[in-house]
Amino acid sequence: MAEAMSSFWGPVTSAEWCEKNNVYSSYIAEFFNTVSNIPGILLALIGLINALRQRFEKRFSILHISNMILAIGSMLYHATLQRMQQQGDETPMVWEMLLYFYILYSPDWHYRSTMPTFLFLYGAAFAIVHALIRFEIGFKVHYLILCLLCVPRMYKYYIYTKDASAKRLAKLYLATISMGSLWWLFDCLFCSNISQWYFNPEGHALWHILMGFNSYFANTFLMFWRAQQLGWNPKVAHFMGFFPYVTIQKPKTQ
């Protein structure tokens, strides 16, 4: 792809996407792929504030913070198109999935210290290997496997949820990840054609936006289910009639 301006960060050393580089600034290589992470940061911040305000378990605060870290890492990667920043995007993606795995499966795990210890060591080992070895396809396959491992438990939580509003959160989660994945594939598979168009639909940027909402819906659904497990009488409320969040009422002893 031809660059409109010279890059402040030097030659590209990372994977590129279907957006022309440095069109709007020498400091931002892929402008739309960079700024499209902002909604994810804001949504994660909203989720974090709600988790702290209602004193949810610390795991949910960490989850929302990990969403923000991932989005910031993605911004740095797409702004610079440097190998180190790409690692700073991809490694938190894996760490985040390990955290989702813990939140989904830990309630039924009888050996309390075994799972977090294993997941921590796995995440640390991955970070080291990923820093030393460059594997593009391998990373995508690995990440897909981690995602698929979470599906059975998410489905179990869905079918055992009776609250219609909570079920709607799960459906929104499924809709956003499906639409986002289609835009991601479209951007990857048809880039040579898209680059000839007068208007680029910016499929990868749309993927970022949809995945920001996807993470928020997933986190909110998991907060509802965990509160239900703990007997906190959760309800899905809607800010201004449409934006969902979870409210709880803990027993007085808690």
Side-chain angles (χ1 to χ4, degrees):
M1 293 183 183
E3 296 187 358
M5 303 180 191
S6 60
S7 174
F8 173 83
W9 310 103
V12 172
T13 59
S14 69
E16 294 182 85
W17 299 89
C18 200
E19 180 179 354
K20 291 184 178 180
N21 298 344
N22 301 106
V23 173
Y24 300 98
S25 171
S26 60
Y27 296 99
I28 303 177
E30 297 177 341
F31 180 81
F32 291 106
N33 287 348
T34 300
V35 300
S36 57
N37 286 284
I38 294 175
I41 296 174
L42 296 177
L43 289 166
L45 180 60
I46 292 170
L48 175 62
I49 292 171
N50 189 39
L52 292 173
R53 183 175 62 85
Q54 300 195 80
R55 297 184 179 180
F56 273 86
E57 293 170 299
K58 291 181 180 178
R59 65 186 68 182
F60 289 105
S61 296
I62 296 172
L63 180 60
H64 291 300
I65 291 171
S66 76
N67 293 155
M68 286 190 278
I69 291 173
L70 175 57
I72 292 169
S74 180
M75 290 183 75
L76 293 173
Y77 161 39
H78 289 288
T80 63
L81 291 181
Q82 298 298 298
R83 171 60 183 163
M84 181 179 294
Q85 280 71 27
Q86 182 178 354
Q87 290 175 319
D89 173 37
E90 292 178 344
T91 299
M93 288 174 65
V94 170
W95 288 349
E96 184 182 69
M97 291 312 304
L98 295 177
L99 184 55
Y100 276 117
F101 188 89
Y102 171 74
I103 290 173
L104 284 164
Y105 287 97
S106 63
D108 297 331
W109 195 263
H110 300 293
Y111 306 98
R112 297 179 65 87
S113 63
T114 306
M115 180 182 289
T117 301
F118 170 76
L119 294 177
F120 175 81
L121 293 175
Y122 186 94
F126 172 82
I128 294 171
V129 172
H130 191 44
L132 298 175
I133 303 174
R134 189 166 184 164
F135 46 99
E136 299 289 342
I137 300 299
F139 169 80
K140 293 180 178 65
V141 172
H142 175 244
Y143 183 73
L144 178 61
I145 291 172
L146 291 177
C147 292
L148 292 176
L149 287 174
C150 294
V151 170
R153 185 52 57 99
M154 283 290 284
Y155 180 68
K156 175 186 175 182
Y157 285 176
Y158 174 78
I159 61 175
Y160 280 97
T161 297
K162 305 302 180 184
D163 186 273
S165 295
K167 279 185 172 289
R168 193 175 301 116
L169 286 171
K171 292 176 182 177
L172 288 169
Y173 159 80
L174 181 61
T176 48
I177 197 171
S178 298
M179 291 173 61
S181 298
L182 288 174
W183 276 114
W184 185 88
L185 285 170
F186 178 79
D187 193 73
C188 290
L189 297 177
F190 301 104
C191 182
S192 58
N193 301 99
I194 294 170
S195 60
Q196 306 299 319
W197 296 356
Y198 177 76
F199 173 74
N200 184 343
E202 304 296 350
H204 197 76
L206 290 172
W207 151 264
H208 286 161
I209 294 171
L210 288 166
M211 291 308 295
F213 279 96
N214 175 261
S215 296
Y216 180 82
F217 294 139
N219 296 357
T220 306
F221 177 74
L222 291 175
M223 289 168 71
F224 178 93
W225 180 261
R226 181 58 176 162
Q228 189 171 258
Q229 287 179 321
L230 297 171
W232 289 353
N233 191 28
K235 298 184 184 300
V236 178
H238 295 85
F239 179 69
M240 297 183 68
F242 71 93
F243 190 79
Y245 64 97
V246 175
T247 64
I248 57 175
Q249 186 175 358
K250 295 183 180 180
K252 292 184 179 180
T253 55
Q254 298 185 42

